[in-house]
Amino acid sequence: MQSTIILGIESSCDDTSAAVLRDGVMLSNVIAGQKVHEYYGGVVPELASRAHQQNIIPVVHKALSDAGIDKSELSAVAFTRGPGLLGSLLVGTSFAKGFAQALQLPLIEVNHLQAHVLAHFIRNNEGETDVPEFPFLCLLVSGGNSQLIVVRSASDMEIVGQTIDDAAGEAFDKCAKVMGLPYPGGPFVDRLAQQGNRAAFKLSKPEIAGYDYSFSGLKTSFLYLVRDKELENPEFITENLNDLCASLQATIVDILLKKLIKAANELKIKTIAVAGGVSANSGLRNALLETGARRGWKVFIPPVQFTTDNAAMIAMAGLFRYAAGDICSLDVVPYARVTNQL
Ligand code: KG4
């Protein structure tokens, strides 16, 4: 049987990425990050768009050469259509269209959030078979999203809960900023938390109905705690950095796990996956494994390289669509937001 070789292109935020998958096995995954935003403490859309324009051709070139694949061997081109920053999405979308048209290849649009979920199906070699069975429940946590998703198939995903204000990643990043840590602060909090006492400080936890999340109260309580303590002791942050990080991380993980457990119980789903940038967090990963072992869940945690934005997951989602004959036309345009049904 002939192989299906997909080139994936991702440009939804501040990572330009291209990857090649053969029948779901990853042959290459190249990611060019953008340092330019660090100075501003957050992603500047216009700068992101310009950096994508500079990066896209070398990144695609490297993805093909790392994979040892000539462009004539490709079966299709998959790209992130949305959600994301429009200026960034436009670069990947326009490139994918031009590339597909020039080579007469089918073009496949991919929803970035679906792709994060489907990253669990990427395999490193032919023999690998341990992928989640449908239906499963996926906790998708990133800088822009905190969602609980019932995944019934590769194309049927329902968001049953989501944040009503900030995302979990934003809570990490904004509180990290209060402590003077670099952007994005999540990985720094994670590292410092490992030396700290998670019970040192009590922070606010939300009381929200259903499976929805809220992180703005936690952020405010963290800000007020630090502000009040600094009035008493200007060295408060420096002297308590590890404990602050450990308490913050433990609170975010508790909030995430509480709704995940509720949803898993009520919806009677025992296959649980996690995805998105925050799923790299060691506290969250450990808590999921412990909770899963206690509750008899089968837990799927992605390798760290697939937690942040990457094109391998776009190619994987593209493969599912390609198999379903879901090809898009050249007049497709990017979208910034999505609705409740992924
Ligand atoms: O999925 P992602 O790469 O893209 C966006 O949605 O922007 O997620 C980025 C988010 C950031 O908020 C970052 O701080 C967070 O993921 N993050 C982490 C860790 N690694 C990345 N948060 C906590 N612990 C980590 N180890």
Side-chain angles (χ1 to χ4, degrees):
M1 208 178 71
Q2 212 191 345
S3 309
T4 304
I5 304 176
I6 310 272
L7 170 69
I9 292 172
E10 154 65 23
S11 72
S12 64
C13 189
D14 60 341
D15 290 307
T16 319
S17 180
V20 179
L21 259 64
R22 182 196 279 130
D23 298 328
V25 175
M26 190 177 79
L27 302 182
S28 66
N29 186 33
V30 178
I31 305 172
Q34 302 180 355
K35 292 241 169 270
V36 63
H37 309 288
E38 275 172 20
Y39 174 78
Y40 300 96
V43 177
V44 183
E46 178 56 31
L47 295 180
S49 176
R50 286 188 218 171
H52 282 304
Q53 290 177 45
Q54 286 169 341
N55 293 341
I56 190 98
I57 292 174
V59 163
V60 170
H61 189 267
K62 185 159 174 23
L64 288 167
S65 84
D66 284 2
I69 292 289
D70 186 82
K71 44 190 187 306
S72 62
E73 295 174 81
L74 292 171
S75 313
V77 182
F79 69 98
T80 307
R81 182 176 170 199
L85 301 171
L86 269 185
S88 291
L89 290 164
L90 266 172
V91 178
T93 305
S94 309
F95 180 88
K97 282 184 192 179
F99 193 84
Q101 192 178 26
L103 293 165
Q104 293 295 299
L105 288 170
L107 184 65
I108 303 169
E109 61 161 288
V110 167
N111 173 312
H112 180 86
L113 301 177
Q114 276 194 356
H116 266 300
V117 176
L118 297 174
H120 286 283
F121 293 86
I122 302 168
R123 296 176 302 143
N124 283 311
N125 55 61
E126 299 282 348
E128 202 176 315
T129 52
D130 196 20
V131 294
E133 270 179 33
F134 300 115
F136 64 92
L137 185 61
C138 187
L139 172 66
L140 176 57
V141 269
S142 68
N145 295 280
S146 296
Q147 299 176 330
L148 276 170
I149 304 166
V150 176
V151 187
R152 299 193 184 89
S153 75
S155 58
D156 181 1
M157 302 187 192
E158 184 188 356
I159 301 170
V160 292
Q162 60 190 323
T163 183
I164 57 166
D165 41 54
D166 289 349
E170 266 177 291
F172 271 109
D173 296 343
K174 287 179 178 170
C175 294
K177 198 169 177 181
V178 170
M179 293 184 279
L181 297 173
Y183 174 86
F188 292 92
V189 173
D190 190 354
R191 209 163 50 241
L192 295 166
Q194 286 167 26
Q195 319 293 329
N197 171 11
R198 51 170 289 157
F201 300 105
K202 198 166 162 33
L203 299 163
S204 146
K205 289 187 193 165
E207 293 296 333
I208 308 278
Y211 307 135
D212 282 343
Y213 286 113
S214 165
F215 290 97
S216 68
L218 163 64
K219 190 184 64 187
T220 310
S221 82
F222 189 84
L223 185 68
Y224 286 176
L225 168 86
V226 170
R227 189 195 60 185
D228 295 347
K229 295 281 187 186
E230 270 194 315
L231 288 176
E232 296 163 17
N233 171 14
E235 299 304 317
F236 171 73
I237 294 181
T238 324
E239 289 171 10
N240 295 278
L241 192 57
N242 294 346
D243 288 351
L244 281 168
C245 289
S247 303
L248 171 66
Q249 178 167 300
T251 310
I252 294 175
V253 171
D254 282 354
I255 294 171
L256 290 172
L257 265 282
K258 187 175 169 192
K259 292 298 174 85
L260 178 63
I261 293 169
K262 179 177 161 69
N265 281 348
E266 292 177 4
L267 303 172
K268 299 190 176 28
I269 301 177
K270 282 187 170 268
T271 303
I272 309 294
V274 63
V278 179
S279 68
N281 183 265
S282 60
L284 177 60
R285 291 165 94 91
N286 292 337
L288 270 170
L289 290 174
E290 282 162 24
T291 310
R294 253 195 339 268
R295 295 181 170 268
W297 292 349
K298 186 152 187 323
V299 175
F300 288 85
I301 297 178
V304 171
Q305 65 163 326
F306 297 144
T307 57
T308 46
D309 292 346
N310 66 88
M313 67 183 195
I314 303 303
M316 188 67 232
L319 175 62
F320 278 110
R321 294 190 90 124
Y322 181 81
D326 209 345
I327 307 302
C328 70
S329 68
L330 282 172
D331 57 9
V332 66
V333 289
Y335 54 79
R337 297 183 175 279
V338 274
T339 58
N340 259 15
Q341 202 70 28
L342 278 184

